[in-house]
Amino acid sequence: MLERLQYVKQRFDEVSDLIIQPDVIADQKRYVQLNKEYKDLKELVDKRDEYINIVGNINEAKEIIADGSDAEMVEMAKMQLDEANERLPQLEEEIKFMLIPKDPEDAKNVMVEIRAGTGGDEASIFAGDLYRMYTKYCESKGWRTSLVDMNEGTSGGFKEVIFEVTGEDVYGTLKYEAGVHRVQRVPQTETQGRVHTSAATVMVLPEAEEFDVQIDMNDVRIDLFCSSGPGGQSVNTTKSAVRMTHIPTGLVAQCQDEKSQHKNKDKALSVLRSRLYEMELAKKQEEDAKKRNSQVSSGDRSAKIRTYNYPQGRVTDHRIGMDIFDMDGVMSGKIQKFIDELQLVANTEKLKESEVF
């Protein structure tokens, strides 16, 4: 392990030198990437220092015990040895998980799309509930959310809502939320008190940079239309809303959130770029999932991943068989337990197939 950690230390020293070079600071893209790498490596280097310290303590304690000339020192050395032997296996596990190669996509910001599925008005209301759940979760993480486009349901909620999330390691956290979410409850529109099952689909697209996806604007048809929904006097009078159609793939992206046509164009293009990027990424994830037979793959968007059962106050994640009996908490954005467990399972699978040790 120390040999592997030595490579980490060497790279950390290199990156530490690079981020203070004027030419690197001038290249913002490279500077941001190196800063991110520095932060990740620093965590590992700190663990390496702790590991070296513990191994040193074990060796020192063994020497004192073997010498045996000072009874008080021997007693202290035994306590030190017990503490070190207890911490060492935990630390080794922590380091193993940190040494798993990170998915380069994980650091990206995302576009989240929530669409009402089967269930009519109730599905739209549930899509709205999921939107609030995610915005509250993002708020708790210190991430920023920005609405891109929405199509409101007839009885509340959304037929479709798209929003952008920016922050640290957003895709690496939210990618496990992609899939079909199912709700079982008595709808507001139900007069007989019967429990209905409705669904909404969540898609999590890593935000693509210009250098990730090259779009030939000759392949894009741009339509301008009047915004609908809230927005004041400018709504339905100025054609500020933008719809873009990528002719080769048939993919469509639109934005009507901003009052400025120019800003809506930028946002719509960003969505289109992310959708094109996600198409390619989904193919790769599907291939990886087949190879790995992963239960927490983020590639299959048609998979039913979670059920929100209101009568029983239970939320079940079907991929890991985990139940949380705190419906109000979950719908208020407390989904970290699910995400932690899903990340642990995914990392354990990666650890089994990697050649880290």
Side-chain angles (χ1 to χ4, degrees), residues 69-102:
S69 58
D70 186 328
E72 196 176 326
M73 287 289 284
V74 167
E75 200 56 41
M76 284 173 64
K78 281 179 180 173
M79 284 172 64
Q80 181 176 296
L81 188 62
D82 288 344
E83 280 175 23
N85 280 331
E86 190 181 339
R87 174 64 182 140
L88 194 63
Q90 295 171 354
L91 185 59
E92 284 176 343
E93 281 302 304
E94 288 167 19
I95 291 169
K96 278 180 189 178
F97 278 114
M98 289 174 82
L99 282 170
I100 297 168
K102 277 194 168 68

Side-chain angles (χ1 to χ4, degrees), residues 111 148 215 220 222 241-244 252-256 261-275:
M111 294 282 179
V148 173
I215 295 178
V220 178
I222 299 176
V242 176
R243 183 184 296 113
M244 290 186 174
V252 179
Q254 70 178 43
C255 181
Q256 56 178 337
Q261 187 190 104
H262 181 69
K263 284 182 181 174
N264 280 331
K265 267 185 183 173
D266 286 346
K267 274 193 174 182
L269 186 59
S270 184
V271 173
L272 188 61
R273 196 180 286 122
S274 293
R275 284 188 181 158

Side-chain angles (χ1 to χ4, degrees), residues 82-143:
D82 288 344
E83 280 175 23
N85 280 331
E86 190 181 339
R87 174 64 182 140
L88 194 63
Q90 295 171 354
L91 185 59
E92 284 176 343
E93 281 302 304
E94 288 167 19
I95 291 169
K96 278 180 189 178
F97 278 114
M98 289 174 82
L99 282 170
I100 297 168
K102 277 194 168 68
D103 186 335
E105 311 302 324
D106 285 356
K108 289 181 181 288
N109 296 323
V110 301
M111 294 282 179
V112 179
E113 301 185 5
I114 304 172
R115 287 199 183 95
T118 51
D121 287 343
E122 170 63 7
S124 296
I125 292 165
F126 179 52
D129 293 341
L130 289 177
Y131 172 64
R132 280 184 290 279
M133 178 182 86
Y134 287 125
T135 50
K136 284 177 180 176
Y137 174 70
C138 292
E139 199 179 297
S140 74
K141 300 281 287 183
W143 296 340

Side-chain angles (χ1 to χ4, degrees), residues 205-223:
L205 321 179
E207 198 169 55
E209 306 283 347
E210 280 184 50
F211 53 83
D212 290 327
V213 176
Q214 297 293 330
I215 295 178
D216 184 345
M217 292 311 288
N218 293 322
D219 291 337
V220 178
R221 188 178 75 239
I222 299 176
D223 300 307

Side-chain angles (χ1 to χ4, degrees), residues 151-322:
N151 183 359
E152 292 180 326
T154 50
S155 298
F158 303 99
K159 288 178 184 173
E160 178 186 40
V161 59
I162 302 169
F163 60 102
E164 182 183 28
V165 185
T166 54
E168 200 170 295
D169 290 329
V170 178
Y171 182 67
T173 307
L174 287 180
K175 65 182 177 183
Y176 301 109
E177 293 301 301
V180 177
H181 294 243
R182 191 175 68 158
V183 65
Q184 293 172 327
R185 65 185 175 189
V186 178
Q188 296 167 16
T189 51
E190 167 62 53
T191 54
Q192 305 294 318
R194 289 172 301 190
V195 173
H196 285 225
T197 299
S198 308
T201 303
V202 175
M203 284 175 64
V204 181
L205 321 179
E207 198 169 55
E209 306 283 347
E210 280 184 50
F211 53 83
D212 290 327
V213 176
Q214 297 293 330
I215 295 178
D216 184 345
M217 292 311 288
N218 293 322
D219 291 337
V220 178
R221 188 178 75 239
I222 299 176
D223 300 307
L224 306 175
F225 59 100
C226 295
S227 295
S228 59
Q233 292 178 342
S234 64
V235 171
N236 297 324
T237 56
T238 56
K239 291 192 174 183
S240 60
V242 176
R243 183 184 296 113
M244 290 186 174
T245 306
H246 187 247
I247 295 159
T249 60
L251 285 173
V252 179
Q254 70 178 43
C255 181
Q256 56 178 337
D257 185 52
E258 303 286 347
K259 288 189 178 126
S260 148
Q261 187 190 104
H262 181 69
K263 284 182 181 174
N264 280 331
K265 267 185 183 173
D266 286 346
K267 274 193 174 182
L269 186 59
S270 184
V271 173
L272 188 61
R273 196 180 286 122
S274 293
R275 284 188 181 158
L276 284 165
Y277 187 59
E278 195 266 347
M279 263 177 73
E280 292 307 309
L281 189 62
K283 286 180 200 167
K284 181 181 175 295
Q285 286 174 336
E286 210 175 314
E287 286 165 20
D288 290 350
K290 280 176 188 167
K291 280 185 218 159
R292 188 180 297 143
N293 194 23
S294 171
Q295 68 202 66
V296 295
S297 159
S298 50
D300 186 1
R301 63 182 71 158
S302 63
K304 181 185 75 182
I305 64 164
R306 199 173 290 153
T307 296
Y308 304 74
N309 185 309
Y310 274 74
Q312 295 174 17
R314 185 187 73 233
V315 185
T316 302
D317 196 291
H318 303 290
R319 295 162 294 180
I320 48 177
M322 184 179 181

Side-chain angles (χ1 to χ4, degrees), residues 22-86:
D23 58 324
V24 172
I25 294 167
D27 182 348
Q28 271 301 295
K29 181 172 158 284
R30 192 177 176 214
Y31 181 67
V32 168
Q33 285 173 337
L34 284 170
N35 254 311
K36 173 83 176 71
E37 189 181 355
Y38 174 87
K39 187 170 169 291
D40 290 341
L41 289 172
K42 174 110 178 43
E43 288 177 20
L44 256 173
V45 168
D46 288 346
K47 294 283 183 190
R48 170 188 174 270
D49 292 345
E50 187 185 349
Y51 185 83
I52 289 168
N53 190 39
I54 286 175
V55 170
N57 287 347
I58 287 171
N59 292 334
E60 183 187 18
K62 282 179 178 174
E63 282 174 22
I64 293 167
I65 292 164
D67 178 75
S69 58
D70 186 328
E72 196 176 326
M73 287 289 284
V74 167
E75 200 56 41
M76 284 173 64
K78 281 179 180 173
M79 284 172 64
Q80 181 176 296
L81 188 62
D82 288 344
E83 280 175 23
N85 280 331
E86 190 181 339

